[in-house]
């Protein structure tokens, strides 16, 4: 694999942007979710038992334990940590030197602190993925703040390999669990005929995707299986074009998901991981830059590589045709498909390949370790070589440890393979499990809503006779409201409402807290439903009664003449989800007590320390601003500022080069001037040219901050060339003297 300087820089910048979106999205929802009068107050999770601060950190690693030292309560401490995380990530998007191991460690620790008290609203796979990827950033990012240099390190490819292994585990497990769940829609290749309308938060494009013919939906499922199960094996291919092909297939899948569904920063995070499949050569191809790597491969070798790639893609297509019985149907003008293997056969296949895939990872990692060690050994200078080897030893050990521990969640996909793991590996995994360093993944295990999308609708009333529906900002409710686009924001209450609709209210204890807070008229909770409180039907006076019903929703169909319908959804009544309750209602009080949602301890006064006042002031400035607007405004501001800084930097370089050109022209005029011309300082033409060359080298050196080795090599070549020219000139002078 070629150099990975540019993909690594792109990955770290992408992670800074994703952290920014994650912290801002969570910050906006903190009061309603975890505030003292929120749905699940975070202070209930931090129980001060008299243990030392160190023991509390070990039992529940969270910076929120330092809240009392700062004179703030748990809710204020959460807001403070979120603001720090947003500020750090925003600064990292602007300044490359802040995309540093120390900064990424701080971002990881801040998000982990939120996760420890997040309860059900933060227990999503993308939160786990962000924590795992964020920890890898600590190993991938340079130590700029401590070393003072962003130069290339010999072990960079080694640590960056871990992101590729994480991408493999994520995609392979996501494909395998679909078939291992025995879900009839995945086995029948009909999952996508339900997915677009039953996913949590569809976009408007999901309505159009839902109208595609069934044969295309089934073929799309086949493509999903190929991209998620077969293509990930190419991530470790020694042939770079196979890896690049795998990259584009993964990007295609993620972009289609983004267009048809709101999955917050999850797909953006997956795209960031996909950058580990690229190298500088391909990024330079994107940027239309000249490739410095010369291709010395023979024509025969190139043809053999092309034949190998053709054979791999042909075998993949042939395997898809055989496994899913793909046939052209001229009568329906489409392609028929069906699963041509059984669950037992797939289980046998999984038992066969799970352990060999681990060994493929071992071989790939070993190759990266050996090449990194060789690069360290080739560094000139004893001290540099010793320091590089020492760094390689530390990071190689860390990479091997991370890979070994990750085998535990990876092997969850197959029971027998998991049992073959060395017990010491499982014990090591148990030690680091609380830090969310490695996790198991598996998306869309089963397709829900086959008989219609279940949706909970809350209704309020002041007289228990006339009822008014309470409409959420993002989840389906109003039949005429188009599905919203909220990526990369995640409205966590809307997401949990989708999960609650899949069962009964006893499986969602937080729903009782939601009903209780709405009856109390708590503004923080109301803002989770409508950021603009005036859009909430009971913003003037809380409802006296509340109830909830479950409906079945479906996308509408185009009219017979092909025109679009007036409504996006249609629905039918299903059943009662939550009975009619009011404050003091026996059922409500019983549920609050049963789930431990009654706050027994009295609320303390809000702290008035300078830190608490500053946090409350920031909250007052952003209150009422929709989260997607706030997130995209910050991202746009960071991108615009970055472009402005880049433009100013390019302009300064252009000005310096123009000044150098003018100086060169002045030197030429001076050299050709007659006697009596102004003095040039006693410098010869050769000395002036040497000075100009040195100035040009200094200018060029500024563009090579991440290619230190290449710049050093070029300087050595230039010095060698200059020396040869000087030796040649001295030889000519000696020969001329001998002639005389």
């Amino acid at each position: 694999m070629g150099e990975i300087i540019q993909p690594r820089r792109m990955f770290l910048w992408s992670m800074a942007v994703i952290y920014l979106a994650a912290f801002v999205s969570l910050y906006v929802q903190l009061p309603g979710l975890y505030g003292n009068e929120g749905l699940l107050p975070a202070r209930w999770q931090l129980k001060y038992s008299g243990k030392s601060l160190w023991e509390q950190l070990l039992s529940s690693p969270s910076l929120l334990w330092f809240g009392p030292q700062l004179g703030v309560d748990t809710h204020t401490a959460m807001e403070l940590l979120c603001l720090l995380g947003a500020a750090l990530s925003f600064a990292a998007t602007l300044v490359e030197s802040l995309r540093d191991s120390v900064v990424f460690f701080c971002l990881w620790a801040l998000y982990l602190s939120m996760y420890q008290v997040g309860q059900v609203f933060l227990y999503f796979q993308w939160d786990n993925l962000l924590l795992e990827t964020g920890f890898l950033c600590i190993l991938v990012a340079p130590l700029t703040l401590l070393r003072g240099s962003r130069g290339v390190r010999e072990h960079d490819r080694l640590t960056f390999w871990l992101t590729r292994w994480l991408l493999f585990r994520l995609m392979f497990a996501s494909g395998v669990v679909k078939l291992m769940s025995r879900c009839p829609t995945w086995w029948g290749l009909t999952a996508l005929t339900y997915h677009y309308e039953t996913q949590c938060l569809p976009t408007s494009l999901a309505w159009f995707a839902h109208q595609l013919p069934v044969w295309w939906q089934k073929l799309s499922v086949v493509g999903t299986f190929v991209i998620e199960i077969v293509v990930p094996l190419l991530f470790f291919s020694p042939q770079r074009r196979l890896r690049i092909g795998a990259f584009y297939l993964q990007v295609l899948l993620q972009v289609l998901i983004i267009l048809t569904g709101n999955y917050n920063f999850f797909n953006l995070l997956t795209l960031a991981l996909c950058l580990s499949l690229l190298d500088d050569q391909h990024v330079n191809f994107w940027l239309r830059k000249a490739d410095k790597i010369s291709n010395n491969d023979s024509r025969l070798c190139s043809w053999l590589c092309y034949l190998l790639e053709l054979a791999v893609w042909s075998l993949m297509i042939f395997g898809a045709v055989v496994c899913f019985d793909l046939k052209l149907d001229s009568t329906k003008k489409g392609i028929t498909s069906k699963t041509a293997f059984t669950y037992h056969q797939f289980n046998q296949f999984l038992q066969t390949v799970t352990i060999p895939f681990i060994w493929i990872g071992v071989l790939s990692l070993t190759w990266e370790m050996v090449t990194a060690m060789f690069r360290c050994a080739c560094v000139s200078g004893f001290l540099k070589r010793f320091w590089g080897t020492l760094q390689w030893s530390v990071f190689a050990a860390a990479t091997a440890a991370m890979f070994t521990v990750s085998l535990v969640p990876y092997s969850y996909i197959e029971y027998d393979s998991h049992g073959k793991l060395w017990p010491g590996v499982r014990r090591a995994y148990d030690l680091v499990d609380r830090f969310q360093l490695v996790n198991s993944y598996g998306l869309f295990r089963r397709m829900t809503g086959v008989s219609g999308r279940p949706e909970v609708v809350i209704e309020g009333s002041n007289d228990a006779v006339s009822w008014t529906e309470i409409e959420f900002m993002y989840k389906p409710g109003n039949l005429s409201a188009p599905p919203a686009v909220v990526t990369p924001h995640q409205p966590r209450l809307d997401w949990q409402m989708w999960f609650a609709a899949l069962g009964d209210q006893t499986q969602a204890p937080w729903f009782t807290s939601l009903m209780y807070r709405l009856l109390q008229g708590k503004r923080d909770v109301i803002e989770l439903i409508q950021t603009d409180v005036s859009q909430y039907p009971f913003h003037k006076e809380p409802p006296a009664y509340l109830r909830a019903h479950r409906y079945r929703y479906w996308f509408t169909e185009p009219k017979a003449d092909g025109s679009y319908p007036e409504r996006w959804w249609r629905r039918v009544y299903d059943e009662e989800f939550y009975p009619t309750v009011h404050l003091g209602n026996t059922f409500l009080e019983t549920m609050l007590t049963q789930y431990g949602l009654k706050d027994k301890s009295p609320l303390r006064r809000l702290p008035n320390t300078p830190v608490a006042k500053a946090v409350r002031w920031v909250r007052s400035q952003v209150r009422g601003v929709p989260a997607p607007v706030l997130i995209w405004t910050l991202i746009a501001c960071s991108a615009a500022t970055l472009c402005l800084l880049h433009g100013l930097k390019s302009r300064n370089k252009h000005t310096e080069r123009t000044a150098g050109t003018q100086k060169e022209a002045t030197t030429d005029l001076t050299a050709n001037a007659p006697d009596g011309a102004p003095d040039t300082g006693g410098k010869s033409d050769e000395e002036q040219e040497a000075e100009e060359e040195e100035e040009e080298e200094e200018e060029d050196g500024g563009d090579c901050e991440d290619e230190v080795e290449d710049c050093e090599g070029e300087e050595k070549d230039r010095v060698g060339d200059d020396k040869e020219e000087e030796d040649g000139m001295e030889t000519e002078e000696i020969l001329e003297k001998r002639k005389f």
Side-chain angles (χ1 to χ4, degrees):
M1 187 174 181
E3 294 294 339
I4 46 87
I5 299 172
Q6 295 295 339
R8 173 171 157 266
R9 293 174 63 185
M10 295 166 61
F11 170 74
L12 294 176
W13 182 84
S14 301
M15 287 302 301
V17 174
I18 292 169
Y19 263 125
L20 174 63
F23 276 114
V24 174
S25 174
L26 182 59
Y27 170 77
V28 172
Q29 304 172 80
L30 279 180
L33 295 178
Y34 306 113
N36 295 328
E37 296 180 340
L39 299 180
L40 298 175
R43 57 192 172 90
W44 296 349
Q45 300 299 309
L46 295 179
K47 299 179 180 179
Y48 297 90
S49 57
K51 297 181 180 179
S52 65
L53 181 61
W54 178 249
E55 291 176 337
Q56 290 172 335
L57 286 172
L58 286 179
S59 61
S60 178
S62 175
L63 297 176
L64 296 173
W65 293 111
F66 293 95
Q69 279 76 13
L70 297 175
V72 297
D73 60 348
T74 303
H75 171 222
T76 307
M78 289 188 73
E79 292 204 356
L80 177 61
L81 294 186
C82 260
L83 289 174
L84 289 176
L88 266 181
S89 53
F90 183 78
T93 60
L94 297 178
V95 184
E96 185 175 8
S97 59
L98 291 180
R99 293 168 216 153
D100 173 83
S101 293
V102 177
V103 173
F104 277 110
F105 174 78
C106 294
L107 292 173
W108 173 79
L110 291 170
Y111 203 81
L112 179 64
S113 301
M114 302 291 107
Y115 180 86
Q116 293 297 330
V117 298
Q119 304 166 79
V120 69
F121 291 107
L122 266 171
Y123 291 167
F124 293 100
Q125 291 195 51
W126 35 86
D127 294 311
N128 295 331
L129 183 62
L130 179 58
L131 285 171
E132 182 170 353
T133 311
F135 186 80
L136 295 185
C137 289
I138 303 173
L139 302 177
V140 174
L143 277 170
T144 307
L145 299 179
L146 299 180
R147 293 198 322 158
S149 172
R150 284 170 285 166
V152 178
R153 304 174 303 180
E154 285 71 21
H155 60 266
D156 281 340
R157 296 199 323 189
L158 178 60
T159 54
F160 199 43
W161 180 90
L162 285 173
T163 61
R164 208 185 330 160
W165 171 248
L166 174 57
L167 177 65
F168 169 79
R169 290 195 292 115
L170 172 66
M171 301 310 301
F172 185 69
S174 297
V176 165
V177 297
K178 293 177 175 61
L179 293 174
M180 292 301 294
S181 67
R182 300 191 182 188
C183 177
T185 62
W186 286 115
W187 280 92
L189 307 181
T190 59
L192 290 184
T193 60
Y194 307 103
H195 165 73
Y196 295 114
E197 68 179 1
T198 61
Q199 61 183 320
C200 180
L201 297 177
T203 65
S204 299
L205 288 178
W207 186 91
F208 296 94
H210 181 72
Q211 313 305 327
L212 295 173
V214 175
W215 71 266
W216 178 263
Q217 306 280 24
K218 297 178 71 173
L219 187 63
S220 300
V221 174
V222 174
T224 301
F225 284 139
V226 172
I227 293 175
E228 291 186 344
I229 298 178
V230 183
V231 173
L233 189 59
L234 301 180
F235 295 172
F236 307 107
S237 169
Q239 191 68 20
R240 64 178 296 272
R241 282 193 292 265
L242 289 176
R243 293 194 304 272
I244 292 173
F247 165 82
Y248 282 110
L249 288 175
Q250 299 300 324
V251 169
L252 174 64
L253 177 62
Q254 299 306 318
V255 169
L256 291 176
I257 295 175
I258 291 173
L259 292 176
T260 57
N262 292 287
Y263 293 95
N264 50 79
F265 53 82
F266 173 67
N267 301 108
L268 302 178
L269 189 52
T270 307
L271 288 174
L273 291 173
C274 289
L275 294 173
S276 61
L277 302 175
L278 301 179
D279 54 20
D280 283 357
Q281 184 178 353
H282 197 70
V283 175
N284 289 333
F285 168 75
W286 286 352
L287 302 176
R288 296 295 187 266
K289 289 185 178 180
D291 189 11
K292 297 180 180 180
I293 303 175
S294 59
N295 188 6
N296 296 324
D297 296 339
S298 64
R299 180 171 297 182
L300 177 60
C301 183
S302 299
W303 275 107
L304 290 177
C305 292
Y306 282 125
L307 290 176
L308 175 62
E309 295 163 17
L310 181 62
V312 169
W313 296 119
S314 300
L315 182 62
M316 193 175 299
I317 295 173
F318 175 76
V321 171
V322 173
C323 293
F324 296 100
D325 195 20
L326 301 180
K327 296 179 181 178
L328 288 173
D329 188 350
S330 57
T331 58
K332 297 182 179 180
K333 297 182 179 180
I335 299 177
T336 62
S337 57
K338 65 178 181 180
T339 305
F341 54 89
T342 63
Y343 174 83
H344 176 72
Q345 290 173 331
F346 181 75
N347 192 32
Q348 288 294 115
F349 161 79
L350 197 58
Q351 291 178 357
T352 304
V353 302
T354 301
I355 296 299
F357 281 1
I358 293 178
W359 286 110
I360 290 176
V362 170
L363 291 176
S364 179
L365 178 58
T366 303
W367 173 257
E368 296 293 347
M369 283 186 174
V370 172
T371 54
M373 182 177 63
F374 180 76
R375 288 162 65 94
C376 292
C378 293
V379 174
S380 60
F382 174 76
L383 292 178
K384 289 184 178 180
R385 189 183 305 116
F386 174 77
W387 178 241
T389 304
L390 182 62
Q391 289 186 71
W392 173 87
S393 302
V394 172
F395 284 94
T399 303
M402 287 293 296
F403 171 75
T404 303
V405 174
S406 70
L407 297 181
V408 176
Y410 162 75
S411 61
Y412 284 157
I413 59 178
E414 207 283 306
Y415 180 79
D416 292 338
S417 300
H418 180 71
K420 295 178 182 178
L421 288 180
W422 183 44
V425 176
R426 286 195 286 269
R427 287 196 295 269
Y429 171 78
D430 293 336
L431 291 176
V432 301
D433 185 36
R434 71 186 71 176
F435 301 103
Q436 302 300 314
L437 301 187
V438 291
N439 301 279
S440 59
Y441 305 99
L443 302 171
F444 304 111
R445 184 185 300 270
R446 299 187 66 88
M447 192 55 58
T448 60
V450 175
S451 59
R453 173 196 181 96
E455 200 67 60
V456 174
V457 176
I458 302 176
E459 299 176 343
S461 174
N462 289 319
D463 54 10
V465 177
S466 59
W467 295 87
T468 303
E469 292 188 7
I470 297 177
E471 184 178 349
F472 283 66
M473 284 184 292
Y474 308 118
K475 84 177 191 69
N478 186 348
L479 302 180
S480 301
V485 177
V486 299
T487 302
H489 171 57
Q490 182 188 2
R492 296 182 181 269
L493 177 59
D494 295 66
W495 266 89
Q496 286 300 334
M497 288 290 290
W498 181 78
F499 283 108
L502 300 177
D504 55 53
Q505 54 90 10
T506 59
Q507 299 176 0
W510 58 267
F511 192 84
T512 296
S513 181
L514 173 63
M515 302 290 278
Y516 180 58
R517 296 305 188 189
L518 291 180
L519 287 171
Q520 291 179 320
K522 298 302 181 182
R523 174 169 178 155
D524 291 338
V525 176
I526 293 173
E527 288 183 347
L528 295 176
I529 298 174
Q530 288 290 343
T531 303
D532 184 1
V533 179
S534 63
Q535 300 296 320
Y536 181 69
F538 301 97
H539 64 278
K540 294 182 179 180
E541 181 183 2
Y545 302 91
L546 283 178
R547 68 184 185 186
H549 293 290
R550 179 162 34 215
Y551 288 82
R552 296 282 173 175
Y553 277 66
W554 294 270
F555 272 142
T556 55
E557 303 292 336
K559 296 181 180 179
D561 59 357
S563 61
Y564 298 138
E566 297 178 357
R567 294 182 174 182
W568 293 82
W569 299 95
R570 60 184 179 90
R571 74 181 186 183
V572 297
Y573 179 80
D574 191 4
E575 61 182 349
E576 181 183 73
F577 182 80
Y578 205 90
T580 302
V581 293
H582 56 82
L583 289 178
N585 178 267
T586 304
F587 177 81
L588 180 62
E589 293 295 328
T590 302
M591 291 295 100
L592 290 173
T593 304
Q594 178 179 341
Y595 298 136
L597 299 173
K598 268 287 192 181
D599 199 353
K600 299 179 181 179
S601 59
L603 291 176
R604 299 179 180 178
R605 289 192 310 167
L606 291 176
N608 289 320
T609 60
V611 174
K613 291 181 179 179
V615 171
R616 287 198 292 269
W617 179 83
V618 175
R619 170 63 61 183
S620 66
Q621 300 304 305
V622 301
R623 184 179 290 272
V625 180
V629 174
L630 185 59
I631 294 172
W632 281 112
T633 299
L634 290 174
I635 293 177
C637 288
S638 64
T641 306
L642 198 62
C643 293
L644 179 61
L645 293 175
H646 181 73
L648 291 176
K649 184 178 179 181
S650 301
R651 182 178 179 182
N652 291 335
K653 288 182 179 180
H654 178 71
T655 303
E656 292 175 358
R657 290 176 180 175
T658 303
T661 304
Q662 293 176 352
K663 184 177 180 181
E664 182 179 355
T666 304
T667 304
D668 293 339
L669 292 174
T670 304
N672 297 327
D675 295 339
D679 188 12
T680 59
K683 296 181 180 179
S684 65
D685 295 343
E686 296 177 357
E687 291 175 344
Q688 292 179 5
E689 291 178 359
E691 290 179 357
E692 292 172 1
E693 289 178 358
E694 291 176 359
E695 291 177 358
E696 292 178 356
E697 289 176 2
E698 291 176 358
E699 292 177 358
D700 295 338
D703 298 333
C704 299
E705 59 185 6
D706 287 317
E707 300 182 6
V708 175
E709 293 179 353
D710 295 340
C711 291
E712 290 179 354
E714 291 175 1
E715 290 175 0
K716 290 179 181 179
D717 294 339
R718 291 170 184 165
V719 172
D721 295 340
D722 294 341
K723 188 174 181 181
E724 291 177 0
E725 292 177 3
E726 291 176 1
D727 294 341
M729 292 174 63
E730 291 176 1
T731 304
E732 291 177 0
E733 291 177 0
I734 293 172
L735 291 175
E736 289 178 359
K737 290 180 179 179
R738 287 181 178 178
K739 289 180 181 179
F740 291 104

